[in-house]
Amino acid sequence: MPKSQNKSAASENSLSSVVLPRAEHSISRNQIDEHALKVLYRLNRQGHLAYLVGGSVRDLLLGRTPKDFDVGTDATPNQVKSLFKNCFLIGRRFRLAHIRFRGNLLVEVATFRRNPAEDEMPENEDDHFHFVQNVFGSEREDAYRRDFTINALFYNIDDFSVIDHVGGLKDLEERILRMIGDPLIRFEEDPVRMLRALEFSARLDFAIDDEIISAIDQRRHLLSGASSARLREEIMELFRHQVAGQVCEMALRYGLLDQLFAEIPFLPQTFELLKLIDQRTAEGKPIRESLALAGLVLPAFFERCPAERSLHINDALTVADKLLRPHCLHYSIAQGIRCEARDLLLGCFRLARGRGLKGESRFLRHPFTPMIFEFFALWCQIDHSLNDTYALWQGALDSESNPDTGERKSPRRRRRRPRRKAAMQV
Ligand code: ATP
Ligand code: MG
């Protein structure tokens, strides 16, 4: 829900910084990942500023478990590298330090950056976002180059204080998502921020500031021109954070849906299905991109290709391809992922047509069928006319599995014709 605004969004010279001493906030060191703490302490001991930054400070203050703990510092990437044997500098355009630990764990360390001045921008700058990521700055400048006030708080390992340059603490308290600076300009710099605004509002159950809503209204056309790789990643973030259904509804309300999914026809059932997929992820099941894709497309697929016995599976294949291909081309989604999404759609088509058709036993034994059936089960919660069909398949799949251990029987062995001669025998 948009909330009416009582002050204009933070702009760099309008606010004085607030430092909240340890006694006045709830973040305790035992909530912070031990590897991130090690990194913070070592930077600090070497005389550098060492802060926890971004989402982790926001989440800790909200009493939520952070996804990761990012570190901000005034040390340059090369200085960071010289302090840690296990440090790798990554990225050609924006250099980040990754400190790797055993168990595939890593802590990301970024040098403070700033928004470059207008005359510093290269003439033929095609991607402002990446350029901005590259200019080192002070900690205050680093706060101001971030997107939302609640994402720009720092936790200082030196005295355990929380530092707020942008009014984020107040916005956290009021549960409102506010842009740093003028949203019109910030969306021009990076249109992906429009999608992030919806994402954070949904994830945190925060209101969206009116200025953001109005800027989305005026700048929504820019979203379709944003980097497709970054948008693809942010779309998957929606699924990982179990807000895909909710954010797609918001995107429809704010006119962003067509910009994001120009090639996919959304039906009312699409939002319902996405919410069921989100629920499934919330139960701890991993979300694959193929499942997300199939979820976006399944209602339109069934609308164009009703599960009638007279329809051939090749017809279904053509419909599935027509729906998936343009979206996958736009977002450069690999063929393997598209084919897996197509198999999910075709599998649902096969299941919805009912039992007793050719190739059923092979289908039941196929290792991908349980995944298809799980997806189909979600669809049956929306299309209740399939409930009987669902029960029949459930029975068949149960008897295909071993009733004692719950494991699947090993597939029946096909007798192999003896090979005449191996093509390349060494
Ligand atoms: P989470 O990791 O829980 O999804 P987060 O806030 O850490 O949330 P990230 O995408 O990991 O989000 O980004 C880390 C930080 O980088 C953000 O908190 C924000 O300060 C900054 N940031 C990320 N994307 C942008 C952007 N497009 N424009 C400006 N700042 C950004
Ligand atoms: Mg993060």
Side-chain angles (χ1 to χ4, degrees), residues 55 67-68 70:
K67 193 179 82 185
D68 39 38
D70 295 335

Side-chain angles (χ1 to χ4, degrees), residues 54-55 58 67 129 146-147 151 190 193 196 203 230:
R58 173 199 72 216
K67 193 179 82 185
F129 179 79
R146 292 172 184 273
D147 46 9
N151 284 353
D190 178 18
R193 290 173 184 148
R196 285 174 63 86
R203 275 173 61 184
R230 288 186 53 232

Side-chain angles (χ1 to χ4, degrees), residues 45-46 148 154 189 212 216 247 292 321 343 349 372 388:
R45 272 199 306 271
Q46 298 301 319
F148 306 105
F154 299 146
E189 290 168 0
I212 292 184
I216 289 180
V247 168
D321 265 340
D343 288 347
F349 176 76
I372 295 172
D388 292 345

Side-chain angles (χ1 to χ4, degrees), residues 139-412:
E139 67 162 83
R140 189 174 162 89
E141 287 168 328
D142 187 79
Y144 275 90
R145 60 115 189 150
R146 292 172 184 273
D147 46 9
F148 306 105
T149 59
I150 57 165
N151 284 353
L153 297 165
F154 299 146
Y155 171 83
N156 184 357
I157 200 65
D158 191 57
D159 58 3
F160 316 125
S161 62
V162 169
I163 304 172
D164 178 10
H165 294 292
V166 295
L169 285 169
K170 184 168 173 288
D171 293 340
L172 263 189
E173 205 161 305
E174 292 177 7
R175 302 183 69 82
I176 183 163
L177 196 71
R178 211 187 296 276
M179 195 99 214
I180 300 172
D182 180 349
L184 281 171
I185 297 170
R186 304 305 309 277
F187 290 156
E188 277 164 21
E189 290 168 0
D190 178 18
V192 178
R193 290 173 184 148
M194 292 188 245
L195 181 57
R196 285 174 63 86
L198 307 192
E199 179 194 330
F200 284 112
S201 161
R203 275 173 61 184
L204 306 172
D205 192 22
F206 270 36
I208 304 181
D209 176 29
D210 273 352
E211 275 201 15
I212 292 184
I213 303 287
S214 132
I216 289 180
D217 195 41
Q218 296 170 64
R219 294 291 181 266
R220 68 162 77 92
H221 60 280
L222 297 177
L223 195 61
S224 53
S227 147
S228 58
R230 288 186 53 232
L231 276 179
R232 175 184 171 194
E233 186 47 35
E234 287 294 343
I235 290 170
M236 275 317 292
E237 281 291 284
L238 306 180
F239 281 93
R240 289 186 203 110
H241 288 287
Q242 306 123 45
V243 290
Q246 209 183 328
V247 168
C248 284
E249 270 177 355
M250 294 166 87
L252 175 68
R253 198 176 328 138
Y254 298 129
L256 294 181
L257 200 64
D258 288 346
Q259 315 290 325
L260 288 170
F261 302 108
E263 323 282 358
I264 299 179
F266 266 66
L267 305 179
Q269 296 93 320
T270 314
F271 303 100
E272 283 181 65
L273 183 58
L274 295 183
K275 283 183 187 170
L276 290 173
I277 292 176
D278 289 336
Q279 261 176 38
R280 175 187 172 276
T281 316
E283 286 160 16
K285 298 186 181 154
I287 174 81
R288 298 154 80 103
E289 193 169 10
S290 56
L291 179 67
L293 257 177
L296 287 161
V297 164
L298 187 72
F301 169 76
F302 269 137
E303 193 194 47
R304 292 180 186 193
C305 183
E308 286 156 9
R309 289 192 169 223
S310 58
L311 265 177
H312 195 266
I313 193 94
N314 282 345
D315 302 324
L317 191 114
T318 308
V319 174
D321 265 340
K322 271 195 181 146
L323 284 166
L324 289 169
R325 195 181 287 270
H327 178 83
C328 291
L329 279 179
H330 178 77
Y331 283 107
S332 308
I333 295 173
Q335 196 182 343
I337 298 173
R338 174 162 55 84
C339 290
E340 207 171 273
R342 192 189 61 192
D343 288 347
L344 283 166
L345 299 177
L346 293 181
C348 285
F349 176 76
R350 182 185 261 285
L351 290 167
R353 284 201 303 173
R355 296 204 52 195
L357 289 165
K358 209 170 134 205
E360 178 174 303
S361 56
R362 189 146 37 96
F363 175 68
L364 283 171
R365 285 198 309 273
H366 196 282
F368 199 48
T369 299
M371 182 67 235
I372 295 172
F373 191 62
E374 209 191 320
F375 181 47
F376 182 65
L378 300 181
W379 179 243
C380 292
Q381 291 183 46
I382 295 167
D383 183 351
H384 297 293
S385 70
L386 289 170
N387 285 355
D388 292 345
T389 313
Y390 172 82
L392 287 173
W393 282 111
Q394 175 81 74
L397 276 159
D398 284 350
S399 55
E400 180 62 27
S401 306
N402 183 328
D404 293 327
T405 62
E407 281 167 14
R408 290 173 62 72
K409 275 192 224 159
S410 54
R412 227 176 285 149

